[in-house]
Amino acid sequence: MGYYDDDYESSSRQKGNRGGKFLPALLGAILGGLLVLFTVPALGGAGLLPDNLYPPNEEQNGLGTDENAVEKNVDVNVTTNVTDAVDKASDAVVEVVNIQRTDFWSQQPAGTGSGVIYKKEGNKAYVVTNHHVVEDANQIEITLSNGSKLKGTLRGTDPLMDLAVVEIDSSKVDSVAEFGVSGDLKRGEPAIAIGNPLGNFPGSVTQGVVSSADRSIPVDLDQDGNPDWQAEVIQTDAAINPGNSGGALINIAGQVIGINSSKIAQNEVEGIGFAIPSDVAKPIIEDLEKYGETRRPFLGVNIIPLSQVNTYQREQTLKIPNSVQDGVVVMEITPASPAARAGMKEMDVITEMGGEKIKDPVALRKFLYTKAKIGDEIDITFYRDGKKQTVKVELSGGRQTQ
C-alpha cells in the first residue's frame, strides 16, 4: 500500500501522534507533482494530449491585445433624451440670492432660490423667479451657471401668482431658455426639474413625470385661514426641495413647461411638487417686465364670503332671502373705482358676474383674472336690502387684486 494510505491508517490508529510517516508522505506528494508538471507539456508537444485542454491565449479570446475592447462593450459617453434636454436648458438656470439689511451697517443673505433666464435683449437679460424668493430683498444677486455673479434689479413681482422678474447685465449671458406649451402636457410624460436645492447644489437635476397637468391648490396670501386664490399648477414627482423655487421644470425637448414654485413639506408626503404652468406664467412675465406689475381687470371692492356671515346678520343687516346661500359681501368700496362709478354700495351681496355664479371670493377673482379683460363691460347681479338688482360695470386696469 502506498504511503498516502499508510499515513491515513496510522493517523486513524494514533490521532495524537502525527509525526512518524507524515514527512515521507509529504515529500512523495511534492515529487509526484513535479513529475506531472514536467511530463504533461512534453506529452502535449508530442501530440499525445488534445490541444483544447489548454486555455486559449489572450489573442484567441480577444482580451489584452485589443485596445478598443472596453469601447466595444461600454459607451463611455452616455447620451440620452434626458441628457440632451438638460444640456439644452441647464445653462439658463441661475441661482438667486435674496440679500436683506440686518442693521444700518450690514446686510446678509436671507434666502436662496433659483431662476430662469428667458430673454436677452441688447445689454439686458431677464430672469423669472418666484415672488417669495425675492420678497423684501434689499439687494438681489444672480449667479450664472458659469459662476459669474451679477447684480439683479427687480422689475416687478406678482404675489398672487408667486412670480417675479429680475433684470441683469447681459454681457456674460450665453444661454436663454426656450418656453414650451404647458397646455399640451399629458400625465406620465417626463418632467425634469433643474435648480439649486437647499441653496448649496446649483444646477442639480431631478427627473420624474407629470403627475397632473391641471391641478388646483388654494393660496392664502394674507394667512387668515381663508384661500384668496386657487392657483392652477402642474403637479410632478420630480424632487423639488427648498432652493428649487423659481427654477425650471422642463420637458423631454428641453423646453420650460413650468416655473417650480412649492412643495408639500410633510414627513409622510413624498414626490408631490408644483410648478406654475408656462402658459399661465408667460403673460404675467410680460406684464412684469413691461409695466412692473400685472395688469388685471379691477372692480374696486373688498369682500368676504357670505358663508362667514351669521344668521342674525343675514336676516337683520343684509336682509337676503333664505334661498341665497352663496355669494360675496361687499365690505368696502374703493373711491372712483368701477364699482363706485356703477353705484354699488357696502353690504351689497354679489351673486353673479357676467352670467356666472359667484360662490366666494375665489370665484370672483377667477372670473376677473381669467374670463374678463380691462375695458370689458359686465353685468353684476347683487342683493341690496333683500332686493335683487343688476348693474353694468366697466372694468378698469391696475395692480389691485380685485
Side-chain angles (χ1 to χ4, degrees), residues 257-281:
I257 53 172
I259 303 299
N260 298 325
S261 182
S262 59
K263 178 181 179 180
I264 296 179
Q266 300 178 17
N267 291 332
E268 67 273 18
V269 175
E270 289 293 336
I272 301 182
F274 300 106
I276 304 164
S278 58
D279 293 354
V280 174

Side-chain angles (χ1 to χ4, degrees), residues 5-119:
D5 292 327
D6 288 344
D7 185 60
Y8 175 79
E9 291 175 0
S10 174
S11 64
S12 298
R13 291 191 299 267
Q14 301 184 44
K15 294 182 180 179
N17 181 12
R18 296 186 180 273
K21 298 180 180 179
F22 175 74
L23 184 57
L26 178 60
L27 293 174
I30 294 173
L31 291 173
L34 292 173
L35 288 173
V36 172
L37 180 62
F38 287 104
T39 303
V40 170
L43 291 174
L48 298 179
L49 292 178
D51 292 337
N52 60 9
L53 288 181
Y54 297 99
N57 59 33
E58 292 180 342
E59 293 183 356
Q60 289 174 323
N61 64 19
L63 297 178
T65 59
D66 188 352
E67 296 179 355
N68 298 319
V70 174
E71 295 181 5
K72 289 180 180 178
N73 295 289
V74 180
D75 182 1
V76 294
N77 296 315
V78 177
T79 301
T80 67
N81 290 339
V82 173
T83 59
D84 285 343
V86 171
D87 287 343
K88 179 178 179 179
S90 59
D91 284 347
V93 180
V94 301
E95 178 184 5
V96 181
V97 181
N98 180 327
I99 301 174
Q100 296 183 12
R101 190 177 302 280
T102 55
D103 53 46
F104 183 78
W105 300 104
S106 62
Q107 53 188 16
Q108 64 182 18
T112 303
S114 306
V116 181
I117 303 173
Y118 68 90
K119 182 178 180 180

Side-chain angles (χ1 to χ4, degrees), residues 296-303 328 330 332-344 350-354 358 361 364-365 367-369 372-382 391-402:
R296 297 187 175 98
F298 174 59
L299 181 60
V301 293
N302 183 17
I303 56 179
V328 295
V330 177
E332 184 180 358
I333 299 284
T334 303
S337 66
R341 291 195 298 268
M344 297 192 70
I350 300 174
T351 57
E352 291 184 25
M353 293 179 65
I358 300 300
L364 184 145
R365 295 187 184 100
F367 176 85
L368 284 178
Y369 305 158
K373 297 179 181 179
I374 297 173
D376 282 356
E377 191 176 68
I378 62 172
D379 291 329
I380 296 181
T381 300
F382 62 95
V391 66
K392 287 188 178 295
V393 179
E394 183 178 348
L395 301 173
S396 63
R399 67 183 307 165
Q400 299 94 335
T401 57
Q402 64 192 22

